[in-house]
Each structure stands twice: as structure tokens, then as C-alpha cells.
mmCIF file of all heavy atoms in Angstrom:
data_model
loop_
_atom_site.group_PDB
_atom_site.id
_atom_site.type_symbol
_atom_site.label_atom_id
_atom_site.label_comp_id
_atom_site.label_asym_id
_atom_site.label_seq_id
_atom_site.Cartn_x
_atom_site.Cartn_y
_atom_site.Cartn_z
ATOM 1 N N VAL A 1 273.132 244.501 5.505
ATOM 2 C CA VAL A 1 273.065 243.605 6.658
ATOM 3 C C VAL A 1 273.970 242.492 6.591
ATOM 4 O O VAL A 1 274.247 241.953 5.408
ATOM 5 C CB VAL A 1 271.667 243.221 6.983
ATOM 6 C CG1 VAL A 1 271.063 242.411 5.835
ATOM 7 C CG2 VAL A 1 271.562 242.425 8.387
ATOM 8 N N VAL A 2 274.576 241.901 7.580
ATOM 9 C CA VAL A 2 275.255 240.763 7.639
ATOM 10 C C VAL A 2 274.532 239.642 8.390
ATOM 11 O O VAL A 2 274.016 239.838 9.391
ATOM 12 C CB VAL A 2 276.548 240.866 8.337
ATOM 13 C CG1 VAL A 2 277.535 239.662 8.366
ATOM 14 C CG2 VAL A 2 277.536 241.927 7.672
ATOM 15 N N ILE A 3 274.347 238.522 7.645
ATOM 16 C CA ILE A 3 273.731 237.431 8.227
ATOM 17 C C ILE A 3 274.801 236.385 8.609
ATOM 18 O O ILE A 3 275.492 235.837 7.663
ATOM 19 C CB ILE A 3 272.724 236.691 7.165
ATOM 20 C CG1 ILE A 3 271.596 237.649 6.833
ATOM 21 C CG2 ILE A 3 272.201 235.310 7.809
ATOM 22 C CD1 ILE A 3 270.716 237.173 5.858
ATOM 23 N N GLU A 4 275.017 236.318 9.912
ATOM 24 C CA GLU A 4 276.263 235.461 10.328
ATOM 25 C C GLU A 4 275.708 234.138 10.925
ATOM 26 O O GLU A 4 274.876 234.091 11.784
ATOM 27 C CB GLU A 4 277.053 236.099 11.364
ATOM 28 C CG GLU A 4 278.228 235.374 11.849
ATOM 29 C CD GLU A 4 279.133 236.042 12.916
ATOM 30 O OE1 GLU A 4 278.632 237.091 13.409
ATOM 31 O OE2 GLU A 4 280.084 235.553 13.189
ATOM 32 N N LEU A 5 276.059 233.115 10.248
ATOM 33 C CA LEU A 5 275.773 231.735 10.675
ATOM 34 C C LEU A 5 276.638 231.217 11.693
ATOM 35 O O LEU A 5 277.907 231.266 11.427
ATOM 36 C CB LEU A 5 275.700 230.695 9.548
ATOM 37 C CG LEU A 5 274.383 230.634 8.740
ATOM 38 C CD1 LEU A 5 274.097 231.867 7.897
ATOM 39 C CD2 LEU A 5 274.247 229.335 7.891
ATOM 40 N N LEU A 6 276.165 230.824 12.871
ATOM 41 C CA LEU A 6 277.020 230.095 13.817
ATOM 42 C C LEU A 6 276.516 228.577 13.959
ATOM 43 O O LEU A 6 275.377 228.370 13.699
ATOM 44 C CB LEU A 6 276.807 230.798 15.215
ATOM 45 C CG LEU A 6 277.113 232.334 15.240
ATOM 46 C CD1 LEU A 6 276.981 232.855 16.671
ATOM 47 C CD2 LEU A 6 278.505 232.596 14.784
ATOM 48 N N ASP A 7 277.442 227.777 14.456
ATOM 49 C CA ASP A 7 277.071 226.356 14.518
ATOM 50 C C ASP A 7 276.508 226.365 16.051
ATOM 51 O O ASP A 7 277.103 226.734 16.958
ATOM 52 C CB ASP A 7 278.267 225.527 14.484
ATOM 53 C CG ASP A 7 277.926 224.061 14.449
ATOM 54 O OD1 ASP A 7 277.240 223.555 15.558
ATOM 55 O OD2 ASP A 7 278.236 223.217 13.595
ATOM 56 N N ALA A 8 275.223 225.864 16.133
ATOM 57 C CA ALA A 8 274.539 225.803 17.418
ATOM 58 C C ALA A 8 275.186 224.964 18.452
ATOM 59 O O ALA A 8 274.876 225.260 19.584
ATOM 60 C CB ALA A 8 273.026 225.312 17.245
ATOM 61 N N ARG A 9 275.986 224.079 18.028
ATOM 62 C CA ARG A 9 276.792 223.244 19.065
ATOM 63 C C ARG A 9 277.884 224.082 19.654
ATOM 64 O O ARG A 9 278.275 223.715 20.798
ATOM 65 C CB ARG A 9 277.308 222.032 18.345
ATOM 66 C CG ARG A 9 276.204 221.172 17.897
ATOM 67 C CD ARG A 9 276.821 220.057 16.880
ATOM 68 N NE ARG A 9 277.320 220.606 15.684
ATOM 69 C CZ ARG A 9 277.953 219.965 14.669
ATOM 70 N NH1 ARG A 9 277.962 218.717 14.714
ATOM 71 N NH2 ARG A 9 278.266 220.552 13.588
ATOM 72 N N ILE A 10 278.365 225.051 18.961
ATOM 73 C CA ILE A 10 279.458 225.987 19.543
ATOM 74 C C ILE A 10 279.310 227.424 19.031
ATOM 75 O O ILE A 10 280.133 227.922 18.366
ATOM 76 C CB ILE A 10 280.824 225.434 18.996
ATOM 77 C CG1 ILE A 10 280.889 225.301 17.494
ATOM 78 C CG2 ILE A 10 281.252 224.083 19.639
ATOM 79 C CD1 ILE A 10 282.423 225.065 17.011
ATOM 80 N N PRO A 11 278.254 228.029 19.560
ATOM 81 C CA PRO A 11 277.999 229.417 19.109
ATOM 82 C C PRO A 11 279.014 230.430 19.536
ATOM 83 O O PRO A 11 279.077 231.467 18.827
ATOM 84 C CB PRO A 11 276.657 229.727 19.838
ATOM 85 C CG PRO A 11 275.968 228.393 20.032
ATOM 86 C CD PRO A 11 277.210 227.536 20.434
ATOM 87 N N GLY A 12 279.829 230.149 20.562
ATOM 88 C CA GLY A 12 280.918 231.032 20.879
ATOM 89 C C GLY A 12 282.106 230.902 20.070
ATOM 90 O O GLY A 12 282.647 231.793 19.510
ATOM 91 N N SER A 13 282.556 229.578 19.930
ATOM 92 C CA SER A 13 283.737 229.272 19.192
ATOM 93 C C SER A 13 283.520 229.476 17.617
ATOM 94 O O SER A 13 284.633 229.602 16.915
ATOM 95 C CB SER A 13 284.161 227.772 19.428
ATOM 96 O OG SER A 13 284.434 227.611 20.810
ATOM 97 N N SER A 14 282.377 229.352 17.176
ATOM 98 C CA SER A 14 282.146 229.520 15.625
ATOM 99 C C SER A 14 281.932 230.978 15.327
ATOM 100 O O SER A 14 281.557 231.212 14.137
ATOM 101 C CB SER A 14 280.997 228.717 15.254
ATOM 102 O OG SER A 14 279.781 228.915 15.902
ATOM 103 N N LYS A 15 281.993 231.856 16.329
ATOM 104 C CA LYS A 15 281.847 233.381 15.918
ATOM 105 C C LYS A 15 283.071 233.903 15.622
ATOM 106 O O LYS A 15 284.058 234.015 16.540
ATOM 107 C CB LYS A 15 281.124 234.031 17.086
ATOM 108 C CG LYS A 15 280.554 235.337 16.828
ATOM 109 C CD LYS A 15 279.706 235.904 18.008
ATOM 110 C CE LYS A 15 278.758 236.975 17.581
ATOM 111 N NZ LYS A 15 279.585 238.220 17.179
ATOM 112 N N ASN A 16 283.362 234.395 14.386
ATOM 113 C CA ASN A 16 284.624 234.961 13.873
ATOM 114 C C ASN A 16 284.851 236.330 14.482
ATOM 115 O O ASN A 16 284.017 237.289 14.108
ATOM 116 C CB ASN A 16 284.584 234.893 12.318
ATOM 117 C CG ASN A 16 285.915 235.311 11.814
ATOM 118 O OD1 ASN A 16 286.760 235.848 12.463
ATOM 119 N ND2 ASN A 16 286.141 234.927 10.581
ATOM 120 N N PRO A 17 285.754 236.464 15.369
ATOM 121 C CA PRO A 17 286.081 237.823 15.883
ATOM 122 C C PRO A 17 286.428 238.916 14.841
ATOM 123 O O PRO A 17 286.181 240.014 15.074
ATOM 124 C CB PRO A 17 287.168 237.561 16.956
ATOM 125 C CG PRO A 17 287.849 236.322 16.491
ATOM 126 C CD PRO A 17 286.896 235.508 15.862
ATOM 127 N N ASP A 18 287.006 238.343 13.675
ATOM 128 C CA ASP A 18 287.376 239.354 12.653
ATOM 129 C C ASP A 18 286.165 240.076 12.021
ATOM 130 O O ASP A 18 286.231 241.084 11.588
ATOM 131 C CB ASP A 18 288.126 238.569 11.436
ATOM 132 C CG ASP A 18 289.640 238.531 11.792
ATOM 133 O OD1 ASP A 18 289.984 239.044 12.801
ATOM 134 O OD2 ASP A 18 290.393 237.984 11.031
ATOM 135 N N LEU A 19 284.976 239.253 12.050
ATOM 136 C CA LEU A 19 283.881 239.933 11.383
ATOM 137 C C LEU A 19 283.336 241.135 12.149
ATOM 138 O O LEU A 19 282.757 242.066 11.474
ATOM 139 C CB LEU A 19 282.809 238.874 11.442
ATOM 140 C CG LEU A 19 281.501 239.171 10.475
ATOM 141 C CD1 LEU A 19 282.061 239.309 9.122
ATOM 142 C CD2 LEU A 19 280.567 238.004 10.501
ATOM 143 N N GLU A 20 283.595 241.193 13.447
ATOM 144 C CA GLU A 20 283.261 242.364 14.242
ATOM 145 C C GLU A 20 283.831 243.767 13.546
ATOM 146 O O GLU A 20 283.183 244.767 13.460
ATOM 147 C CB GLU A 20 283.697 242.338 15.645
ATOM 148 C CG GLU A 20 282.830 241.406 16.501
ATOM 149 C CD GLU A 20 281.526 241.685 16.536
ATOM 150 O OE1 GLU A 20 281.009 242.865 16.602
ATOM 151 O OE2 GLU A 20 280.628 240.758 16.540
ATOM 152 N N ASN A 21 285.155 243.601 13.220
ATOM 153 C CA ASN A 21 285.917 244.729 12.550
ATOM 154 C C ASN A 21 285.429 244.856 11.077
ATOM 155 O O ASN A 21 285.278 246.099 10.666
ATOM 156 C CB ASN A 21 287.417 244.492 12.617
ATOM 157 C CG ASN A 21 288.050 244.459 14.033
ATOM 158 O OD1 ASN A 21 287.501 245.122 14.900
ATOM 159 N ND2 ASN A 21 288.826 243.633 14.326
ATOM 160 N N LEU A 22 285.267 243.803 10.430
ATOM 161 C CA LEU A 22 284.783 243.850 9.006
ATOM 162 C C LEU A 22 283.564 244.632 8.747
ATOM 163 O O LEU A 22 283.318 245.343 7.959
ATOM 164 C CB LEU A 22 284.764 242.543 8.371
ATOM 165 C CG LEU A 22 286.153 241.915 8.051
ATOM 166 C CD1 LEU A 22 285.857 240.404 7.554
ATOM 167 C CD2 LEU A 22 286.910 242.730 6.945
ATOM 168 N N LYS A 23 282.506 244.257 9.671
ATOM 169 C CA LYS A 23 281.190 244.694 9.490
ATOM 170 C C LYS A 23 280.916 246.182 9.826
ATOM 171 O O LYS A 23 280.105 246.765 9.371
ATOM 172 C CB LYS A 23 280.142 243.861 10.189
ATOM 173 C CG LYS A 23 279.966 244.074 11.632
ATOM 174 C CD LYS A 23 278.922 243.170 12.232
ATOM 175 C CE LYS A 23 278.513 243.476 13.674
ATOM 176 N NZ LYS A 23 278.009 244.868 13.832
ATOM 177 N N GLY A 24 281.853 246.577 10.705
ATOM 178 C CA GLY A 24 281.697 248.074 11.116
ATOM 179 C C GLY A 24 280.284 248.342 11.749
ATOM 180 O O GLY A 24 280.002 247.702 12.779
ATOM 181 N N GLN A 25 279.671 249.361 11.259
ATOM 182 C CA GLN A 25 278.244 249.682 11.723
ATOM 183 C C GLN A 25 277.160 248.956 11.120
ATOM 184 O O GLN A 25 275.925 249.244 11.341
ATOM 185 C CB GLN A 25 278.090 251.293 11.614
ATOM 186 C CG GLN A 25 279.166 252.111 12.347
ATOM 187 C CD GLN A 25 279.132 251.728 13.923
ATOM 188 O OE1 GLN A 25 277.983 251.805 14.441
ATOM 189 N NE2 GLN A 25 280.172 251.548 14.448
ATOM 190 N N LYS A 26 277.465 248.078 10.201
ATOM 191 C CA LYS A 26 276.408 247.244 9.547
ATOM 192 C C LYS A 26 275.610 246.499 10.503
ATOM 193 O O LYS A 26 276.028 245.977 11.538
ATOM 194 C CB LYS A 26 276.981 246.304 8.500
ATOM 195 C CG LYS A 26 277.880 246.942 7.443
ATOM 196 C CD LYS A 26 276.992 247.723 6.382
ATOM 197 C CE LYS A 26 277.906 248.285 5.273
ATOM 198 N NZ LYS A 26 277.071 249.010 4.326
ATOM 199 N N LYS A 27 274.231 246.455 10.220
ATOM 200 C CA LYS A 27 273.415 245.566 11.095
ATOM 201 C C LYS A 27 273.728 244.115 10.931
ATOM 202 O O LYS A 27 274.291 243.704 9.815
ATOM 203 C CB LYS A 27 271.978 245.811 10.770
ATOM 204 C CG LYS A 27 271.532 247.274 10.987
ATOM 205 C CD LYS A 27 271.655 247.644 12.443
ATOM 206 C CE LYS A 27 270.942 249.179 12.557
ATOM 207 N NZ LYS A 27 271.105 249.515 14.071
ATOM 208 N N ARG A 28 273.273 243.308 11.848
ATOM 209 C CA ARG A 28 273.527 241.906 11.774
ATOM 210 C C ARG A 28 272.358 241.030 12.276
ATOM 211 O O ARG A 28 271.715 241.340 13.133
ATOM 212 C CB ARG A 28 274.755 241.512 12.614
ATOM 213 C CG ARG A 28 274.998 239.998 12.782
ATOM 214 C CD ARG A 28 276.311 239.728 13.370
ATOM 215 N NE ARG A 28 276.616 240.307 14.580
ATOM 216 C CZ ARG A 28 277.814 240.489 15.206
ATOM 217 N NH1 ARG A 28 278.829 239.862 14.627
ATOM 218 N NH2 ARG A 28 278.051 241.147 16.353
ATOM 219 N N VAL A 29 272.193 239.867 11.594
ATOM 220 C CA VAL A 29 271.263 238.868 12.053
ATOM 221 C C VAL A 29 272.069 237.636 12.361
ATOM 222 O O VAL A 29 272.849 237.183 11.536
ATOM 223 C CB VAL A 29 270.235 238.566 11.036
ATOM 224 C CG1 VAL A 29 269.351 237.355 11.482
ATOM 225 C CG2 VAL A 29 269.382 239.692 10.734
ATOM 226 N N ILE A 30 272.013 237.108 13.539
ATOM 227 C CA ILE A 30 272.761 235.864 13.873
ATOM 228 C C ILE A 30 271.888 234.649 13.690
ATOM 229 O O ILE A 30 270.693 234.675 14.305
ATOM 230 C CB ILE A 30 273.198 235.868 15.345
ATOM 231 C CG1 ILE A 30 274.456 236.872 15.557
ATOM 232 C CG2 ILE A 30 273.605 234.519 15.812
ATOM 233 C CD1 ILE A 30 275.055 237.060 16.910
ATOM 234 N N ILE A 31 272.325 233.622 13.037
ATOM 235 C CA ILE A 31 271.519 232.357 12.801
ATOM 236 C C ILE A 31 272.357 231.350 13.521
ATOM 237 O O ILE A 31 273.473 231.054 13.329
ATOM 238 C CB ILE A 31 271.527 232.065 11.349
ATOM 239 C CG1 ILE A 31 270.603 233.125 10.593
ATOM 240 C CG2 ILE A 31 270.852 230.623 11.253
ATOM 241 C CD1 ILE A 31 270.556 232.798 9.084
ATOM 242 N N LEU A 32 271.623 230.671 14.505
ATOM 243 C CA LEU A 32 272.187 229.543 15.180
ATOM 244 C C LEU A 32 271.691 228.395 14.340
ATOM 245 O O LEU A 32 270.525 228.043 14.374
ATOM 246 C CB LEU A 32 271.592 229.370 16.665
ATOM 247 C CG LEU A 32 272.118 230.484 17.557
ATOM 248 C CD1 LEU A 32 271.431 230.252 18.972
ATOM 249 C CD2 LEU A 32 273.535 230.629 17.664
ATOM 250 N N ASN A 33 272.625 227.913 13.527
ATOM 251 C CA ASN A 33 272.264 226.857 12.516
ATOM 252 C C ASN A 33 272.540 225.455 13.188
ATOM 253 O O ASN A 33 273.274 225.382 14.024
ATOM 254 C CB ASN A 33 272.999 227.164 11.258
ATOM 255 C CG ASN A 33 272.637 226.282 10.091
ATOM 256 O OD1 ASN A 33 271.417 225.767 9.982
ATOM 257 N ND2 ASN A 33 273.536 225.898 9.193
ATOM 258 N N LYS A 34 272.086 224.415 12.604
ATOM 259 C CA LYS A 34 272.219 223.033 12.911
ATOM 260 C C LYS A 34 271.722 222.795 14.377
ATOM 261 O O LYS A 34 272.280 222.094 15.075
ATOM 262 C CB LYS A 34 273.636 222.699 12.842
ATOM 263 C CG LYS A 34 274.266 222.771 11.485
ATOM 264 C CD LYS A 34 275.655 222.171 11.309
ATOM 265 C CE LYS A 34 276.204 222.400 9.938
ATOM 266 N NZ LYS A 34 277.613 221.827 9.729
ATOM 267 N N THR A 35 270.604 223.448 14.590
ATOM 268 C CA THR A 35 270.049 223.290 15.968
ATOM 269 C C THR A 35 269.528 221.854 16.201
ATOM 270 O O THR A 35 269.381 221.390 17.272
ATOM 271 C CB THR A 35 268.788 224.243 16.223
ATOM 272 O OG1 THR A 35 267.956 224.167 15.112
ATOM 273 C CG2 THR A 35 269.303 225.586 16.299
ATOM 274 N N ASP A 36 269.306 221.081 15.144
ATOM 275 C CA ASP A 36 268.885 219.662 15.188
ATOM 276 C C ASP A 36 269.899 218.836 15.817
ATOM 277 O O ASP A 36 269.700 217.684 16.166
ATOM 278 C CB ASP A 36 268.391 219.161 13.837
ATOM 279 C CG ASP A 36 269.547 219.277 12.725
ATOM 280 O OD1 ASP A 36 270.093 220.470 12.665
ATOM 281 O OD2 ASP A 36 269.762 218.349 12.124
ATOM 282 N N LEU A 37 271.152 219.293 15.731
ATOM 283 C CA LEU A 37 272.367 218.539 16.348
ATOM 284 C C LEU A 37 272.662 219.103 17.625
ATOM 285 O O LEU A 37 273.492 218.302 18.390
ATOM 286 C CB LEU A 37 273.543 218.763 15.451
ATOM 287 C CG LEU A 37 273.426 218.469 13.954
ATOM 288 C CD1 LEU A 37 274.847 218.626 13.159
ATOM 289 C CD2 LEU A 37 272.901 216.977 13.679
ATOM 290 N N ALA A 38 272.222 220.064 18.185
ATOM 291 C CA ALA A 38 272.600 220.707 19.502
ATOM 292 C C ALA A 38 271.625 220.423 20.564
ATOM 293 O O ALA A 38 270.459 220.139 20.346
ATOM 294 C CB ALA A 38 272.766 222.186 19.300
ATOM 295 N N ASP A 39 272.175 220.566 21.778
ATOM 296 C CA ASP A 39 271.370 220.266 23.052
ATOM 297 C C ASP A 39 270.374 221.395 23.068
ATOM 298 O O ASP A 39 270.673 222.601 23.269
ATOM 299 C CB ASP A 39 272.438 220.289 24.300
ATOM 300 C CG ASP A 39 271.597 219.914 25.602
ATOM 301 O OD1 ASP A 39 270.494 220.219 25.756
ATOM 302 O OD2 ASP A 39 272.249 219.242 26.380
ATOM 303 N N PRO A 40 269.090 221.083 23.056
ATOM 304 C CA PRO A 40 268.072 222.207 23.135
ATOM 305 C C PRO A 40 268.002 223.137 24.196
ATOM 306 O O PRO A 40 267.885 224.373 24.155
ATOM 307 C CB PRO A 40 266.679 221.636 22.744
ATOM 308 C CG PRO A 40 267.003 220.160 23.246
ATOM 309 C CD PRO A 40 268.438 219.839 22.946
ATOM 310 N N LYS A 41 268.351 222.528 25.391
ATOM 311 C CA LYS A 41 268.355 223.367 26.567
ATOM 312 C C LYS A 41 269.529 224.375 26.541
ATOM 313 O O LYS A 41 269.414 225.621 26.944
ATOM 314 C CB LYS A 41 268.482 222.472 27.920
ATOM 315 C CG LYS A 41 267.224 221.557 28.099
ATOM 316 C CD LYS A 41 267.451 220.823 29.361
ATOM 317 C CE LYS A 41 266.168 219.802 29.568
ATOM 318 N NZ LYS A 41 266.365 219.016 30.888
ATOM 319 N N ILE A 42 270.619 223.906 25.994
ATOM 320 C CA ILE A 42 271.833 224.800 25.989
ATOM 321 C C ILE A 42 271.679 225.915 24.865
ATOM 322 O O ILE A 42 272.008 227.054 24.987
ATOM 323 C CB ILE A 42 273.123 224.062 25.827
ATOM 324 C CG1 ILE A 42 273.253 223.176 27.075
ATOM 325 C CG2 ILE A 42 274.339 224.975 25.544
ATOM 326 C CD1 ILE A 42 274.526 222.308 27.008
ATOM 327 N N THR A 43 270.869 225.430 23.802
ATOM 328 C CA THR A 43 270.688 226.393 22.717
ATOM 329 C C THR A 43 269.744 227.632 23.211
ATOM 330 O O THR A 43 270.030 228.778 22.784
ATOM 331 C CB THR A 43 269.874 225.697 21.482
ATOM 332 O OG1 THR A 43 270.840 224.689 20.968
ATOM 333 C CG2 THR A 43 269.427 226.679 20.400
ATOM 334 N N GLU A 44 268.849 227.294 24.084
ATOM 335 C CA GLU A 44 268.040 228.306 24.741
ATOM 336 C C GLU A 44 268.844 229.285 25.478
ATOM 337 O O GLU A 44 268.633 230.612 25.439
ATOM 338 C CB GLU A 44 266.914 227.719 25.652
ATOM 339 C CG GLU A 44 265.827 226.958 24.822
ATOM 340 C CD GLU A 44 264.936 228.005 24.030
ATOM 341 O OE1 GLU A 44 264.758 229.215 24.380
ATOM 342 O OE2 GLU A 44 264.592 227.653 22.902
ATOM 343 N N LYS A 45 269.878 228.827 26.200
ATOM 344 C CA LYS A 45 270.817 229.697 26.938
ATOM 345 C C LYS A 45 271.559 230.590 25.958
ATOM 346 O O LYS A 45 271.738 231.814 26.241
ATOM 347 C CB LYS A 45 271.790 228.876 27.682
ATOM 348 C CG LYS A 45 271.132 228.080 28.815
ATOM 349 C CD LYS A 45 272.203 227.354 29.638
ATOM 350 C CE LYS A 45 271.609 226.523 30.628
ATOM 351 N NZ LYS A 45 272.713 225.803 31.471
ATOM 352 N N TRP A 46 271.915 230.055 24.695
ATOM 353 C CA TRP A 46 272.613 230.917 23.835
ATOM 354 C C TRP A 46 271.792 231.882 23.159
ATOM 355 O O TRP A 46 272.157 233.063 22.859
ATOM 356 C CB TRP A 46 273.251 230.003 22.617
ATOM 357 C CG TRP A 46 274.494 229.392 23.101
ATOM 358 C CD1 TRP A 46 274.741 228.029 23.487
ATOM 359 C CD2 TRP A 46 275.790 229.995 23.296
ATOM 360 N NE1 TRP A 46 276.021 227.899 23.825
ATOM 361 C CE2 TRP A 46 276.703 229.029 23.706
ATOM 362 C CE3 TRP A 46 276.268 231.396 23.100
ATOM 363 C CZ2 TRP A 46 278.064 229.272 24.022
ATOM 364 C CZ3 TRP A 46 277.533 231.607 23.422
ATOM 365 C CH2 TRP A 46 278.427 230.561 23.824
ATOM 366 N N ILE A 47 270.479 231.564 22.975
ATOM 367 C CA ILE A 47 269.473 232.588 22.446
ATOM 368 C C ILE A 47 269.355 233.793 23.433
ATOM 369 O O ILE A 47 269.417 235.008 22.949
ATOM 370 C CB ILE A 47 268.056 231.975 22.031
ATOM 371 C CG1 ILE A 47 268.156 230.888 21.095
ATOM 372 C CG2 ILE A 47 267.169 232.945 21.899
ATOM 373 C CD1 ILE A 47 266.943 230.035 20.931
#
């Protein structure tokens, strides 16, 4: 499995598009990290 950490302030911009090709069919867990720094209402939208 791949555990991919994203910055909760920029969950789109911090997602590496190369990782999609690298991981292939491997399962993934996304972690929205640094949620203490991000706007909680917008974090809910990203979840």
C-alpha cells in the first residue's frame, strides 16, 4: 500500500501526479496532514 501525505492547506496542489503512474494497481491511503493549519470547513470539502 502507498500512504500518500498531502498538505491539508493545498490537497490538490500537493498531490504528485507522477505517483499515479508509479503506484500502478497498489492500494492507497491519503492522509490530509497539517489539518491544524488548514481551514476546517474547506478540509471537510476535501474529505
Side-chain angles (χ1 to χ4, degrees):
V1 62
V2 175
I3 297 174
E4 183 177 10
L5 272 73
L6 306 181
D7 191 300
R9 296 166 294 180
I10 54 166
S13 296
S14 59
K15 198 170 192 298
N16 189 338
D18 272 1
L19 194 58
E20 291 297 324
N21 296 324
L22 285 175
K23 79 178 188 65
Q25 298 300 311
K26 300 289 183 180
K27 300 294 185 180
R28 170 168 53 195
V29 174
I30 286 179
I31 295 178
L32 296 181
N33 194 29
K34 303 187 180 183
T35 51
D36 56 308
L37 306 179
D39 186 326
K41 292 181 179 179
I42 296 178
T43 297
E44 287 298 323
K45 293 181 181 180
W46 281 108
I47 294 169

